[in-house]
Amino acid sequence: MAATRFLSHITIFNSKNSNLYSITILAILCTSFYLIGIWQHSLDPIPNSSSSPVSGFLSSSPCYSLHTAQLDFMPHHLPHDPTPVTARVPHFPPCNISFSEYTPCEDARRSLKFDRDMLIYRQRHCPAKNELLKCRIPAPYGYKVPFRWPESREFAWFANVPHKELTVEKKAQNWVKVEGEKFRFPGGGTMFPRGAGAYIDDIDKLINLKDGSIRTAIDTGCGVASWGAYLLSRNIIAMSFAPRDTHEAQVQFALERGVPALIGVLASIRLPYPSRAFDMAHCSRCLIPWDNYDGIYLIEVDRILRPGGYWILSGPPINWENHWKGWNRTADDLKAEQSRIETVAKSLCWKKIVQKGDIAIWQKPTNHIHCKATRKVFKRPRFCQTQNPDMAWYTKLEKCLTPLPQVSEIKEIAGGQLPKWPQRLNAIPPRISSGSLTGVTGNNFVENTELWKERIAYYKNIDYQLAQTGRYRNLLDMNAYLGGFAAALVDDPVWVMNAVPVEADQLNTLGVIYERGLIGTYQNWCEAMSTYPRTYDFIHADSIFSLYKDRCDMEDILLEMDRVLRPEGSVIIRDDVDVLLKIKKIIDVMQWEGRIADHEKGPHEREKILFAVKQYWTAPPLAPKHDQ
């Protein structure tokens, strides 16, 4: 054993000596070569410019001349490198103050190019792509955050809508008054001098507005939308519209008051709503020629009215016997107009249920069993044969009656019975339960409703302003699908404009939204919305930018969002993370403050959420006018 240990030590010792010898020999060789190299270079002349050996070594030249023939090591068989391209930094300066109330698709100068017959010049005519503004619409100097609801129903800041035309033109009709820095809206109207509340009470005595059977309404030629404003306290939500015409700022006043409204007109194309959408339609001296063009405008009202829905008319020619002198028309003329309206209504199978004082009310049938039988008497309008009744984006009006869904018996309601409000909000809509909406089942609807309750709770945890009651009033959902976002906010003092993109025409869900008792519109987001700048306090955009990829420019959609969003308004955008990163670069130069947050399910989801706020900024003050 000892011998073995001794041999092992000898082996280790020999190995160590061998390594030491190798290192020593290598060091001697390296030193020798280094000294030989120094000796060879010392034979070259050292320039006078430096006494340093290192300097002489670096600057010395060999005996042959290199400066007369420089070598070219460039790879001439390859193309030149491309010129470096600097990434384009988007630049969106403020527009001129003259664009403060710019509505691109209702521009007055563009409208003059179109036919005045049937008011075609007042309907949508959008700018071409090369005409789109690449600047941000300014708020007027002195703009203030609107009053909170319900105070905003009565008041708006003059600086926000600096127009006094209506206060003069409609002074005797109690529409709007100027009081210092504010407008006051007494709730009056041409046909309701005692106020909108008293006028609605008169309607309530004729049809039941309290039992929840009437939830959605449309007000044609709405003025400043006092009728819709005062219906809200009765749990009835009205879509109000009026054209952009000589009565400046009608719809703009409505929106400042926190009342749902759009710029619109009954002209040559369908209104942007699905069939069977509204429980009640209203016209109070709205100046629409209902008896003209073979009743085509009443035919359109019939399309959008639900089975059993009501049409309310006040103003000329109703109660002409007592008003004809004040209307500056002859009694015979007004009597003949009313007769023609009655004839059109009968041809649509409507029943006139009451006329009392200045108000007349007709009711649409609940199905078309009898109506089809009466075509032998009323040969016009015929029933439409091929056109999709829900197609309503630049769709021409037709002089044909939209057929209601088939029923098996006379007491059955075409399209299905709706529960009363508020039960109808979360009940499975008939369009889904009947299977007419391909690919959407009752289970899908229930799951979607629960999903948006969770998402709204998540939003409110991150955006504390959304959780603050009264912070927002006018909301826009750019891709509403089944209306789950709006339904989840139903207990908040807000209203939501549910937009369904026309590009989603394979799954047209706007009818479902109306069956839930919510309101909305069709929209192509490559075009501007029919509304004024600074309409909305809050915008929600779910997958909009993925939907419009390769259809139009992302920056144009963002500029439209900026146009309709109020200063200090908020935006929530859901989309793929790569899309949101591109959006973030654009909004950083639009005076928006934004940050990207994780999906509510956690960081591993590709879909993320961008929270942003539009900063407060306005046009500069106008320069004082100097006397010439």
Side-chain angles (χ1 to χ4, degrees):
M1 187 74 177
T4 303
R5 214 179 273 121
F6 176 73
L7 289 174
S8 174
H9 284 304
I10 292 175
T11 303
I12 293 170
F13 175 78
N14 289 338
S15 175
K16 287 182 179 180
N17 284 343
S18 175
N19 290 338
L20 183 61
Y21 293 150
S22 298
I23 293 170
T24 303
I25 292 171
L26 182 62
I28 292 171
L29 289 173
C30 289
T31 303
S32 301
F33 286 127
Y34 176 73
L35 293 174
I36 292 170
I38 292 176
W39 176 75
Q40 285 181 335
H41 282 287
S42 68
L43 298 177
D44 295 331
I46 299 176
N48 294 329
S49 59
S50 174
S51 60
S52 167
V54 176
S55 169
F57 172 70
L58 293 176
S59 2
S60 62
S61 301
C63 56
Y64 49 83
S65 177
L66 285 178
H67 65 272
T68 58
Q70 294 186 0
L71 298 180
D72 184 0
F73 295 100
M74 294 296 294
H76 292 283
H77 59 287
L78 295 175
H80 292 293
D81 290 338
T83 304
V85 178
T86 304
R88 184 179 76 88
V89 178
H91 177 58
F92 306 116
C95 303
N96 188 279
I97 184 60
S98 62
F99 289 97
S100 176
E101 295 176 0
Y102 182 55
T103 55
C105 297
E106 286 82 17
D107 182 59
R109 289 167 296 182
R110 185 179 296 105
S111 70
L112 296 177
K113 302 175 184 176
F114 297 91
D115 195 346
R116 288 181 170 266
D117 184 47
M118 292 185 70
L119 300 181
I120 289 173
Y121 76 107
R122 283 188 179 172
Q123 61 192 24
R124 285 176 62 88
H125 301 290
C126 296
K129 184 175 177 60
N130 62 352
E131 297 176 303
L132 296 177
L133 295 181
K134 298 292 183 179
C135 54
R136 294 173 289 122
I137 302 297
Y141 180 73
Y143 178 89
K144 298 181 181 181
V145 174
F147 293 95
R148 292 191 174 189
W149 186 266
E151 188 180 6
S152 66
R153 188 175 69 175
E154 274 85 44
F155 295 102
W157 294 111
F158 177 80
N160 293 8
V161 192
H163 293 288
K164 292 185 178 180
E165 293 90 338
L166 277 178
T167 66
V168 176
E169 188 171 345
K170 302 292 183 180
K171 182 178 181 180
Q173 296 167 15
N174 225 20
W175 278 30
V176 57
K177 298 181 181 296
V178 178
E179 296 180 351
E181 295 183 337
K182 298 181 290 187
F183 287 111
R184 183 169 67 85
F185 300 89
T190 307
M191 294 309 301
F192 32 96
R194 295 181 295 123
Y199 175 78
I200 293 170
D201 287 338
D202 291 340
I203 296 174
D204 189 33
K205 294 171 185 175
L206 305 176
I207 56 175
N208 195 335
L209 300 180
K210 297 186 181 75
D211 68 352
S213 59
I214 296 175
R215 164 61 181 173
T216 57
I218 185 166
D219 191 12
T220 56
C222 65
V224 295
S226 289
W227 188 72
Y230 281 81
L231 279 174
L232 286 167
S233 61
R234 302 170 192 246
N235 281 324
I236 297 174
I237 186 165
M239 174 71 77
S240 301
F241 74 85
R244 180 163 190 165
D245 60 7
T246 54
H247 295 165
E248 283 290 345
Q250 291 182 91
V251 168
Q252 195 173 13
F253 275 133
L255 295 165
E256 280 295 313
R257 299 174 72 183
V259 180
L262 285 172
I263 299 172
V265 64
L266 264 171
S268 70
I269 58 175
R270 285 179 170 179
L271 297 173
Y273 316 115
S275 64
R276 313 193 318 271
F278 298 98
D279 306 318
M280 177 170 59
H282 174 256
C283 164
S284 174
R285 201 169 187 176
C286 60
L287 305 180
I288 295 172
W290 298 111
D291 57 320
N292 289 359
Y293 310 108
D294 297 322
I296 198 169
Y297 297 139
L298 276 180
I299 290 172
E300 174 63 358
V301 171
D302 179 84
R303 182 185 71 86
I304 61 176
L305 263 186
R306 281 198 53 74
Y310 300 98
W311 183 57
I312 302 170
L313 177 63
S314 66
I318 303 304
N319 201 10
W320 58 268
E321 299 90 342
N322 295 315
H323 294 300
W324 66 273
K325 291 182 180 179
W327 290 338
N328 296 318
R329 291 173 61 183
T330 68
D332 289 342
D333 181 28
L334 289 161
K335 182 179 179 181
E337 181 184 346
Q338 179 155 351
S339 178
R340 291 191 298 270
I341 290 175
E342 302 271 11
T343 300
V344 174
K346 285 180 182 178
S347 74
L348 301 176
C349 304
W350 292 4
K351 179 183 178 182
K352 187 176 184 181
I353 59 174
V354 67
Q355 179 174 328
K356 186 174 181 180
D358 296 339
I359 299 171
I361 303 178
W362 286 261
Q363 186 173 25
K364 179 178 175 176
T366 55
N367 59 61
H368 274 162
I369 290 180
H370 278 321
C371 195
K372 289 179 179 178
T374 63
R375 287 308 89 183
K376 296 177 182 178
V377 178
F378 295 101
K379 298 185 183 298
R380 293 286 184 271
R382 60 180 175 79
F383 280 100
C384 302
Q385 298 298 317
T386 57
Q387 202 173 62
N388 181 347
D390 291 343
M391 187 180 295
W393 188 252
Y394 296 120
T395 305
K396 286 287 185 181
L397 291 179
E398 283 192 313
K399 296 175 182 178
C400 60
L401 184 56
T402 301
L404 290 172
Q406 294 285 351
V407 295
S408 56
E409 58 164 333
I410 194 66
K411 293 183 179 180
E412 188 179 348
I413 296 177
Q417 174 74 53
L418 284 177
K420 293 180 178 180
W421 182 264
Q423 286 74 27
R424 71 188 270 188
L425 178 69
N426 293 313
I428 297 174
R431 276 174 163 91
I432 293 178
S433 59
S434 66
S436 60
L437 198 61
T438 305
V440 182
T441 66
N443 286 338
N444 296 147
F445 175 80
V446 172
E447 290 169 1
N448 184 264
T449 299
E450 293 303 314
L451 173 67
W452 279 105
K453 288 179 182 177
E454 296 172 5
R455 287 180 169 180
I456 291 296
Y458 181 68
Y459 288 170
K460 288 183 175 181
N461 283 336
I462 295 179
D463 182 356
Y464 69 93
Q465 294 189 91
L466 183 60
Q468 183 183 351
T469 301
R471 171 63 179 85
Y472 303 118
R473 173 65 183 169
N474 302 6
L475 277 65
L476 169 65
D477 190 3
M478 295 176 69
N479 190 11
Y481 187 42
L482 301 177
F485 172 83
L489 291 166
V490 70
D491 292 328
D492 292 0
V494 303
W495 60 267
V496 179
M497 182 66 74
N498 294 281
V500 171
V502 293
E503 285 71 20
D505 58 356
Q506 297 300 313
L507 198 61
N508 187 341
T509 55
L510 191 54
V512 167
I513 288 168
Y514 275 95
E515 287 182 338
R516 299 188 76 171
L518 306 170
I519 60 169
T521 183
Y522 294 114
Q523 178 64 37
N524 175 355
W525 289 112
C526 290
E527 299 179 359
M529 198 173 185
S530 289
T531 193
Y532 283 88
R534 302 172 297 282
T535 289
Y536 295 103
D537 309 319
F538 182 98
I539 299 177
H540 181 250
D542 180 9
S543 305
I544 276 292
F545 293 92
S546 289
L547 177 63
Y548 281 90
K549 182 183 178 183
D550 302 326
R551 286 189 167 103
C552 50
D553 293 341
M554 177 184 289
E555 62 186 36
D556 290 330
I557 297 176
L558 286 167
L559 283 171
E560 174 61 7
M561 293 170 68
D562 184 79
R563 183 184 76 88
V564 303
L565 185 66
R566 297 186 187 280
E568 299 184 342
S570 295
V571 176
I572 294 180
I573 304 174
R574 303 178 67 94
D575 222 310
D576 183 85
V577 61
D578 290 340
V579 173
L580 292 187
L581 289 172
K582 294 177 182 177
I583 292 172
K584 181 67 168 59
K585 290 181 180 179
I586 297 174
I587 69 169
D588 283 346
V589 297
M590 289 173 55
Q591 286 185 265
W592 289 16
E593 292 181 355
R595 63 188 179 98
I596 297 175
D598 285 328
H599 190 278
E600 60 268 8
K601 290 184 179 179
H604 300 298
E605 299 287 331
R606 276 199 64 83
E607 183 178 79
K608 304 293 181 185
I609 306 170
L610 173 63
F611 293 82
V613 176
K614 178 180 176 179
Q615 296 177 40
Y616 178 89
W617 66 277
T618 71
L622 294 174
K625 294 182 180 180
H626 299 286
D627 295 333
Q628 297 293 325

